[in-house]
């Protein structure tokens, strides 16, 4: 392997590991920003050395259109929005520029395969944060807040809240202050891994997490996975397959351990089951819980906001990070809040980039989704869950967007992330 490839792979692997950990920062700048800037600088140096940019002749025109709508929305935000809503727009635009540079660089045929290492990094990050999530639960059980101890009181990486609570109960958030970041990461880990042990660990953590988005996402993942294995005959094969001695011992120990834990902690387990059942009771939650009814309102208020909006805002939105403006100014909802984004992927995309941006973005998304499904049916599960979770929360964070972009670019080159190499990552033998 030449030195350039080693640099690309190391940088992308670290990017994948660190980008989904927004609570970790350096000089108040998250690891995503540091890493995308580092990769952008690597790309710029490479272009200077080779005397120019090499564009892929078969570039994704749909994504070029997405970038164009983003640029228009940035311009609209800069020109039209009040000072409060323009806050941070310059930094956000710089990040976008670096993202475009990195996209162009790694979309080249000779370099696209290196994006495999970003995917691997995200998978490793999901395992690290799964372990951290269990540690959060253990600390909470003894009355301590792990994230607050480490990231606020010790390293001072956050000033206020390092952990999310709802109704006085912990919502496991991993290496973030918001459980919304945790949901797509853990569901990705669950879908991507081939280790049954990790699948069980991911699923159990979702059950204990207190996050409705994560629990529903894992249920949908498991349901689709079961349906696919039954249809393809893999389920019957797995059941009838002769177990090794090691597998038999593990199965016996696991069943015994589960039985002992269940018997000795019957009251605690039943109470947790009731909590989860109550959390998932959407029909009643919408009527009684502010959070659930608010998320539904983000969708049901779209027609009314559309009618109140001016023509340009309907076409191109209010700008990135400004989707909350429509609610604050037109519907008097959180009217006194600072700049905020709507916690639903679809409503956030719509009011940030308008109907034009919304249609162009999801055209690009679904067009590439169809291509990935042709490559491997597992992509049906992956993107169905991402789209479903986006309905419940705003899950397309910066690291998630780059993961989606990476998967689409790899699929374009017929590289299947579910069949990369024989020994891919921790716990997997592919």
């Amino acid at each position: 392997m030449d030195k350039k490839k080693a640099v690309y792979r190391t940088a992308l692997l670290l990017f994948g590991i660190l980008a989904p950990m927004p609570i970790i920062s350096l000089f108040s700048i998250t690891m995503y920003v540091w890493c995308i800037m580092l990769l952008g600088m690597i790309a710029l140096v490479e272009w200077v050395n080779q005397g120019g940019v090499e564009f892929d002749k078969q570039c994704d025109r749909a994504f070029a259109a997405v970038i164009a709508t983003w640029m228009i929305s940035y311009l609209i935000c800069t020109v039209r929005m009040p000072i409060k809503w323009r806050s941070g727009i310059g930094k956000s635009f710089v990040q976008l520029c670096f993202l475009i540079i990195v996209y162009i660089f790694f979309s080249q045929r000779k370099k696209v395969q290196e994006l495999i290492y970003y995917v691997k990094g995200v998978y490793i990050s999901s395992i690290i944060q799964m372990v951290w999530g269990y540690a959060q639960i253990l600390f909470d059980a003894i009355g301590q807040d792990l994230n607050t101890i480490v990231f606020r009181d010790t390293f001072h990486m956050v000033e206020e809240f390092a952990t999310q609570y709802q109704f006085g109960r912990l919502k496991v958030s991993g290496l973030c202050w918001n459980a919304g970041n945790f949901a797509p990461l853990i569901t990705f880990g669950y879908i991507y891994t081939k280790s049954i042990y990790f699948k069980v660990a991911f699923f159990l953590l979702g059950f204990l997490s207190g996050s409705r988005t994560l629990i529903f996402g894992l249920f949908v993942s498991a349901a689709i996975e079961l349906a696919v294995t039954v249809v393809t005959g893999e389920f019957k094969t797995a059941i009838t397959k002769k177990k090794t001695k090691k597998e038999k011992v593990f199965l016996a120990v696991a069943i015994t351990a589960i039985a002992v834990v269940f018997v000795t902690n019957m009251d605690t387990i039943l109470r947790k089951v009731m909590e989860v059942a109550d959390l998932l009771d959407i029909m009643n939650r919408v009527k009684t819980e502010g959070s659930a009814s608010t998320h539904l309102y983000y969708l049901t208020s779209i027609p009314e906001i559309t009618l109140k909006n001016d023509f340009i805002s309907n076409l191109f939105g209010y700008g990135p990070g400004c989707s909350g403006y429509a609610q604050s100014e037109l519907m008097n909802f959180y009217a006194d809040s600072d700049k905020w984004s709507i916690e639903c992927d679809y409503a956030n995309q719509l009011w940030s980039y308008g109907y034009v941006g919304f249609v162009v973005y999801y055209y690009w998304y679904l067009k590439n989704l169809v291509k990935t499904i042709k490559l491997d049916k597992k992509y049906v599960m992956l993107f169905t869950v991402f789209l479903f979770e986006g309905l419940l929360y705003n899950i397309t964070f910066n690291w998630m967007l780059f993961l989606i972009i990476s998967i689409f670019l790899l699929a374009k080159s017929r590289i299947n992330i579910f069949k990369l190499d024989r020994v891919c990552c921790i716990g997997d033998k592919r």
Side-chain angles (χ1 to χ4, degrees):
M1 186 199 310
D2 60 44
K3 291 183 179 180
K4 285 184 181 179
K5 284 189 175 181
V7 170
Y8 301 154
R9 293 176 181 183
T10 301
L12 284 165
L13 187 68
L14 289 174
F15 188 19
I17 294 171
L18 296 174
M21 303 177 177
I23 203 169
I24 300 176
S25 62
L26 185 63
F27 305 117
S28 299
I29 300 174
T30 64
M31 289 297 103
Y32 170 85
V33 177
W34 283 115
C35 289
I36 198 73
M37 290 176 65
L38 172 63
L39 285 168
M41 293 304 296
I42 290 172
L44 290 172
V45 169
E46 179 75 6
W47 286 334
V48 169
N49 290 338
Q50 69 186 20
V53 181
E54 291 183 7
F55 288 100
D56 188 345
K57 295 180 180 179
Q58 296 181 335
C59 65
D60 189 341
R61 294 180 181 178
F63 191 67
V66 171
I67 293 173
T69 61
W70 287 347
M71 292 295 185
I72 293 170
S73 294
Y74 269 98
L75 178 62
I76 286 173
C77 181
T78 304
V79 173
R80 302 181 75 215
M81 296 297 284
I83 294 176
K84 178 178 78 172
W85 294 91
R86 294 201 306 266
S87 173
I89 195 69
K91 294 178 182 178
S92 178
F93 183 73
V94 170
Q95 289 180 45
L96 174 62
C97 291
F98 275 103
L99 173 64
I100 294 169
I101 290 169
V102 172
Y103 172 83
I104 294 171
F105 185 73
F106 284 105
S107 63
Q108 299 173 79
R109 290 184 179 180
K110 293 180 181 179
K111 296 183 177 66
V112 68
Q113 68 272 12
E114 308 305 339
L115 291 172
I116 289 169
Y117 288 86
Y118 179 76
V119 177
K120 290 181 179 182
V122 172
Y123 173 63
I124 293 170
S125 187
S126 73
I127 294 173
I128 293 171
Q129 296 203 52
M130 174 187 67
V131 174
W132 192 268
Y134 278 113
Q136 281 187 287
I137 293 171
L138 291 175
F139 270 72
D140 184 65
I142 60 173
Q144 298 295 319
D145 185 333
L146 179 59
N147 278 10
T148 296
I149 292 171
V150 175
F151 298 107
R152 191 188 72 181
D153 299 341
T154 304
F155 293 108
H156 308 292
M157 290 182 177
V158 291
E159 295 181 358
E160 296 182 14
F161 303 107
T163 308
Q164 187 174 354
Y165 290 89
Q166 190 174 45
F167 307 119
R169 291 197 291 262
L170 170 72
K171 290 187 73 173
V172 180
S173 56
L175 294 169
C176 184
W177 53 88
N178 188 335
N181 184 78
F182 200 57
L185 182 66
I186 295 302
T187 47
F188 174 77
Y190 173 86
I191 293 168
Y192 188 74
T193 189
K194 285 199 171 184
S195 167
I196 187 62
Y197 311 130
F198 281 156
K199 280 191 181 294
V200 172
F202 281 126
F203 200 90
L204 179 60
L205 180 60
F207 180 80
L208 299 172
S209 69
S211 168
R212 184 165 39 230
T213 302
L214 176 53
I215 296 171
F216 271 126
L218 288 170
F219 277 146
V220 172
S221 301
I224 296 175
E225 189 171 37
L226 179 60
V228 170
T229 54
V230 169
V231 169
T232 59
E234 293 178 16
F235 183 76
K236 184 178 180 180
T237 303
I239 294 296
T240 57
K241 181 183 176 182
K242 188 176 180 180
K243 303 289 189 297
T244 65
K245 185 177 180 180
K246 182 179 178 181
E247 288 173 331
K248 290 178 180 178
V249 171
F250 174 81
L251 193 60
V253 171
I255 292 173
T256 303
I258 291 170
V260 170
V261 170
F262 190 84
V263 171
T264 56
N265 297 273
M266 182 75 74
D267 292 341
T268 303
I269 292 172
L270 290 177
R271 186 168 63 251
K272 188 63 183 178
V273 169
M274 293 303 295
E275 286 178 8
V276 173
D278 182 52
L279 184 69
L280 301 182
D281 186 5
I282 294 294
M283 296 302 291
N284 287 320
R285 283 274 173 170
V286 168
K287 297 175 184 177
T288 61
E289 181 193 313
S291 176
S293 60
T294 296
H295 280 76
L296 179 61
Y297 166 75
Y298 291 145
L299 297 170
T300 58
S301 62
I302 288 174
E304 188 175 353
I305 292 175
T306 301
L307 293 174
K308 290 184 176 182
N309 255 343
D310 59 73
F311 183 69
I312 293 178
S313 296
N314 273 331
L315 282 182
F316 298 108
Y318 296 100
C322 297
S323 58
Y325 180 85
Q327 294 289 347
S328 293
E329 300 300 321
L330 301 181
M331 309 299 286
N332 200 34
F333 193 74
Y334 295 146
D336 298 325
S337 296
D338 292 331
K339 180 178 178 179
W340 63 287
S341 297
I342 293 175
E343 294 174 335
C344 169
D345 265 353
Y346 302 98
N348 180 56
Q349 185 73 26
L350 179 60
W351 300 131
S352 292
Y353 305 106
Y355 279 93
V356 173
F358 181 91
V359 170
V360 169
Y361 175 80
Y362 281 104
Y363 169 75
W364 164 75
Y365 197 119
L366 296 175
K367 174 189 172 185
N368 282 278
L369 170 55
V370 171
K371 291 181 180 179
T372 62
I373 291 172
K374 291 178 181 178
L375 195 62
D376 195 315
K377 294 299 184 287
K378 287 186 179 179
Y379 286 110
V380 175
M381 174 168 49
L382 182 66
F383 287 108
T384 297
V385 172
F386 283 167
L387 290 169
F388 174 74
E389 288 183 337
L391 189 65
L392 302 177
Y393 208 86
N394 182 7
I395 66 155
T396 309
F397 303 95
N398 289 331
W399 67 267
M400 261 287 291
L401 177 61
F402 194 77
L403 176 65
I404 293 168
I405 289 171
S406 297
I407 292 172
F408 287 163
L409 285 173
L410 289 166
K412 184 180 177 182
S413 296
R414 310 294 297 171
I415 299 173
N416 184 353
I417 68 166
F418 296 107
K419 296 177 182 178
L420 292 180
D421 46 39
R422 296 303 300 170
V423 181
C424 175
C425 290
I426 303 172
D428 277 359
K429 293 182 178 180
R430 295 182 183 274

